[in-house]
Amino acid sequence: MGPERVARVFVDVPLAHLDRPFDYAVPDEMADEVRAGCRVRVRFAGQLVDGFVIELADSSEHGGKLAPLAKVVSPEPVLTPQVVALARAVAERWGGTVTDVLRLAVPPRRAAAEKRPPAEPPPPPPPPDPAGFARYPTGPALLTAVAEGRPARAVWTALPGEDWPARLVELCQAALSGGRGALVVTPDGRDLDRLAAAAEARLPQGSVVVLRADAAPDARYRRFLDAVRGTARVVLGTRAAVFAPVADLGLVAVWDDGDDLHAEPRAPYAHARDVLVHRAHLASCAAVVAATARTAEAQLLVESGWAHELVADRATLRSAAPRVHALGADAELARDPAARTARLPSLAHRAARQALADGAPVLVQVPRAGYAPGLACDRCRAPARCAVCSGPLGVAAAPGPGGSRVPACRWCARPAATFDCPYCHRTKLRASVVGAARTAEELGRAFAGAAVRVSGRGSGVLPSVPAGPALVVATPGAEPVAEGGYGAALLLDSWALLGRADLRAGEETLRRWMNAAALVRPASAGGQVVVAADAAHPVVQALVRWDPGWLAARELADRRELGFPPATRMAALSGTAPALAEFLAAARLPADADLLGPVPEPSRPGQEGERERYLVRVPRAEGSALAHALAEVQGVRSAKKATEHVRVQLDPLDLV
């Protein structure tokens, strides 16, 4: 190789067998512009394609003549070596390609944003006041460790009523005070708004940027550049922000890691929590997994010794938590024998009336949105299906004045003015699931004179509600924050959550309940939570005792015994039967691999053809070998130009 410089480029080609950097010669006229991390265009397989320069070298292992770079799209180094290392680690762990990860990591370019001169970062703030974390025995020590740049790792279980945005911002302030950056990821825009407001009030101006999916492309790229240039040392964002190029990273944190919004729906389907755990390892920085509840994955981090618990003592917890009532107490059953089957038992009525009389709002959590999202035959209770596409029938919203409740298909939207049950030929329908809109209608009649607000899909998500008597009906995740806290919370339709055929049904139910109950005033201020579920159920017991760590440890022990994630690594392979047979025949799976299936893949709206699914399970120690074997097959099939795609997803959240 001659003295010319060599650029190693990851080309943007979605082919698994080409997932590696390629060497290109740097022409003399581009030598001053080309630098590691910049965008270029290169000629690849006869076409001009985009790419990132990840490294500059003086020689190449390629024996022939190198093709030159075609164009420097921008000399701005938007891809840092730390993000390249993270992208490689993510691709290896989830059996994907680096190119797919880079598409998630770097937003599309906007030339106008690059013309702005970089600003100087603000001076570091003083360390935060440890009083906010004083209710947790090891909280002040965590702040000190973050400020000193030590790689402290914690699984934080926030107290009910905790101002968690302020606590996370204090952790960011600790990192800034030590001259390092911080990255915090939340599941949705509503949580991100609360976090950003707390950061704006407490951190130096210009030190924080917010990366969110719904931002305008220009604004998102401008904020991304502030991070990559080192102007802003704190990045707050949703799922895609896990790859943000934070300079001198000293802290990564994730809020509410059990929320399924943290799971990336695009290849390689990585989870934000796990990516941040990897990033903390690569950067040797502090990491905090924070939530009101606790997942089995977070419990595994604790039991493995990778992280320590950050929890309050029981006395502090009792003073902060509301009083939780569940069905099943002998005295309550004697008072209301129908309490076990009633949708709104008398206990819930009394709690709501008491809170309204005290001038406080009441939160009513309903698992489903809409009016009557599920319908069934009035006689045999068979689910009602569309006669055209077999989709489920439902009533989307409450009718207006003079309107009619005409059921419609939730897949193809065709109205079903008539119904004939294929099993008993009954023509009448009943609601099998009651949604938030109908619940609000029923509560408006039961509590005449009380204002009723609905928060959720379709009606709009309310960020907050004022103090004062009102009924707030919300779906899980859409509960608005009440000024001064709710006087009571009613958790209805527990069977819709606990009865799901899902590995995470119990864990997810407790997460949703605790997130709602945490918005209620403490018991000392009259706060009450009524859960319409049997008090003997383990999930209900965890809520009554406010002990999510106990349930997480129980869940993890059960999954170890049964061989389910996170105690094992599991991959879901889905495709047509011939494609799956070809895939598995070529796969060199680990010796301990357990192949489960095939089973029909759950159909989705718009899906064509019948597809099957296999599950491949291996011990956790063999997870890397499994990912490598599956990526290898994808590369071989890509090189052979296989016509049928096999979807490979490691550690899927949904195992139904």
Side-chain angles (χ1 to χ4, degrees):
M1 186 70 202
E4 62 183 343
R5 301 187 73 195
V6 175
R8 295 198 170 95
V9 180
F10 259 114
V11 294
D12 188 7
V13 177
L15 297 173
H17 68 287
L18 299 176
D19 186 43
R20 59 183 179 84
F22 292 86
D23 289 353
Y24 285 85
V26 180
D28 293 340
E29 61 272 18
M30 300 181 186
D32 293 336
E33 292 185 302
V34 177
R35 62 198 68 181
C38 74
R39 303 176 195 257
V40 294
R41 285 180 68 81
V42 298
R43 189 161 295 278
F44 192 88
Q47 295 182 334
L48 284 175
V49 297
D50 294 323
F52 292 101
V53 176
I54 63 167
E55 185 183 2
L56 290 172
D58 295 326
S59 62
S60 172
E61 295 180 358
H62 180 66
K65 182 175 177 58
L66 296 179
L69 297 175
K71 180 182 179 182
V72 177
V73 177
S74 168
E76 186 82 39
V78 293
L79 188 60
T80 65
Q82 293 78 16
V83 175
V84 172
L86 178 63
R88 283 176 161 150
V90 169
E92 289 174 3
R93 187 187 190 280
W94 279 275
T97 65
V98 174
T99 302
D100 283 340
V101 179
L102 294 182
R103 289 197 195 101
L104 303 174
V106 184
R109 176 178 180 255
R110 290 294 184 270
E114 293 182 352
K115 296 177 181 178
R116 295 185 311 127
E120 287 294 324
D129 184 352
F133 273 101
R135 294 193 294 173
Y136 307 90
T138 57
L142 175 64
L143 282 177
T144 301
V146 173
E148 294 176 353
R150 289 185 276 126
R153 280 78 185 262
V155 172
W156 173 35
T157 303
L159 284 165
E162 179 65 271
D163 187 2
W164 60 265
R167 302 290 84 77
L168 290 176
V169 169
E170 286 167 2
L171 287 169
C172 295
Q173 183 179 346
L176 283 177
S177 69
R180 306 190 72 182
L183 169 62
V184 184
V185 175
T186 65
D188 57 38
R190 200 162 60 97
D191 288 337
L192 185 58
D193 288 339
R194 293 183 61 190
L195 185 63
E200 184 179 356
R202 294 170 180 259
L203 298 183
Q205 185 177 4
S207 64
V208 182
V209 290
V210 179
L211 299 181
R212 53 194 311 155
D214 57 356
D218 289 343
R220 179 174 175 81
Y221 191 61
R222 183 175 65 251
R223 296 168 186 171
F224 175 84
L225 288 181
D226 286 340
V228 78
R229 290 172 173 177
T231 301
R233 306 290 293 275
V234 175
V235 174
L236 314 176
T238 49
R239 186 177 59 229
V242 294
F243 301 103
V246 181
D248 298 320
L249 189 62
L251 168 75
V252 296
V254 57
W255 172 253
D256 201 7
D257 66 298
D259 195 314
D260 57 8
L261 291 176
H262 283 301
E264 177 58 57
R266 294 167 290 182
Y269 315 108
H271 194 284
R273 173 197 55 242
D274 299 330
V275 174
L276 290 178
V277 167
H278 267 63
R279 190 159 190 184
H281 172 72
L282 293 173
S284 188
C285 69
V288 176
V289 177
T292 303
R294 186 181 297 181
T295 61
E297 287 79 6
Q299 181 65 22
L300 181 62
L301 294 176
V302 173
E303 293 187 9
S304 67
W306 191 87
H308 297 281
E309 287 185 311
L310 181 63
V311 295
D313 57 45
R314 296 303 298 180
T316 304
L317 176 60
R318 283 193 293 270
S319 67
R323 185 178 181 184
V324 181
H325 305 273
L327 305 183
D330 293 340
E332 187 59 35
L333 289 176
R335 183 197 301 263
D336 183 9
R340 289 188 185 274
T341 57
R343 184 165 188 253
L344 193 68
S346 60
L347 176 63
H349 269 280
R350 293 199 305 274
R353 289 194 183 281
Q354 181 63 50
L356 293 173
D358 293 341
V362 176
L363 175 64
V364 183
Q365 187 192 72
V366 182
R368 306 287 176 84
Y371 187 79
L375 297 175
C377 173
D378 182 64
R379 175 185 294 164
C380 70
R381 304 297 194 265
R385 295 282 177 178
C386 175
V388 178
C389 72
S390 298
L393 296 182
V395 178
S404 61
R405 294 184 175 92
V406 177
C409 178
R410 291 165 55 195
W411 285 4
C412 68
R414 288 183 173 86
T418 60
F419 172 74
D420 181 17
C421 178
Y423 303 101
C424 68
H425 297 289
R426 179 80 167 178
T427 58
K428 292 186 178 180
L429 292 167
R430 72 185 302 273
S432 60
V433 178
V434 178
R438 179 166 172 175
T439 301
E441 183 181 289
E442 294 173 350
L443 292 176
R445 292 194 294 264
F447 298 91
V452 180
R453 298 182 175 92
V454 180
S455 177
R457 187 181 61 191
S459 57
V461 177
L462 303 175
S464 61
V465 292
L471 292 162
V472 181
V473 183
T475 51
E479 301 93 348
V481 178
E483 183 182 348
Y486 290 98
L490 314 180
L491 310 177
L492 305 184
D493 299 340
S494 60
W495 56 269
L497 295 175
L498 291 172
R500 292 184 304 145
D502 191 311
L503 173 67
R504 303 174 187 273
E507 173 187 289
E508 176 65 8
T509 299
L510 183 63
R511 186 188 73 83
R512 294 182 177 190
W513 285 350
M514 294 191 81
N515 283 351
L519 302 174
V520 180
R521 298 171 180 176
S524 59
Q528 299 184 73
V529 176
V530 179
V531 53
D534 188 351
H537 197 287
V539 177
V540 182
Q541 280 294 302
L543 177 66
V544 170
R545 303 202 309 257
W546 207 276
D547 194 355
W550 169 79
L551 184 70
R554 177 186 173 121
E555 284 275 331
L556 183 58
D558 288 344
R559 294 188 199 178
R560 278 199 182 102
E561 184 176 348
L562 299 173
F564 284 132
T568 60
R569 294 290 307 278
M570 190 171 285
L573 314 177
S574 58
T576 63
L580 286 172
E582 179 185 341
F583 188 100
L584 291 171
R588 296 187 293 181
L589 299 176
D592 295 333
D594 188 11
L595 188 63
L596 309 174
V599 296
E601 186 181 29
S603 60
R604 296 181 175 87
Q607 178 176 300
E608 296 182 1
E610 295 184 0
R611 294 169 61 87
E612 295 180 343
R613 186 189 69 181
Y614 280 95
L615 295 177
V616 184
R617 177 172 56 191
V618 299
R620 192 165 184 85
E622 297 291 332
S624 296
L626 174 63
H628 176 75
L630 298 178
E632 184 180 54
V633 179
Q634 291 285 59
V636 171
R637 288 174 54 80
S638 171
K640 291 182 177 179
K641 296 181 173 57
T643 56
E644 296 188 19
H645 176 66
V646 173
R647 187 174 186 263
V648 176
Q649 185 175 7
L650 270 80
D651 303 326
L653 287 182
D654 185 5
L655 291 176
V656 178

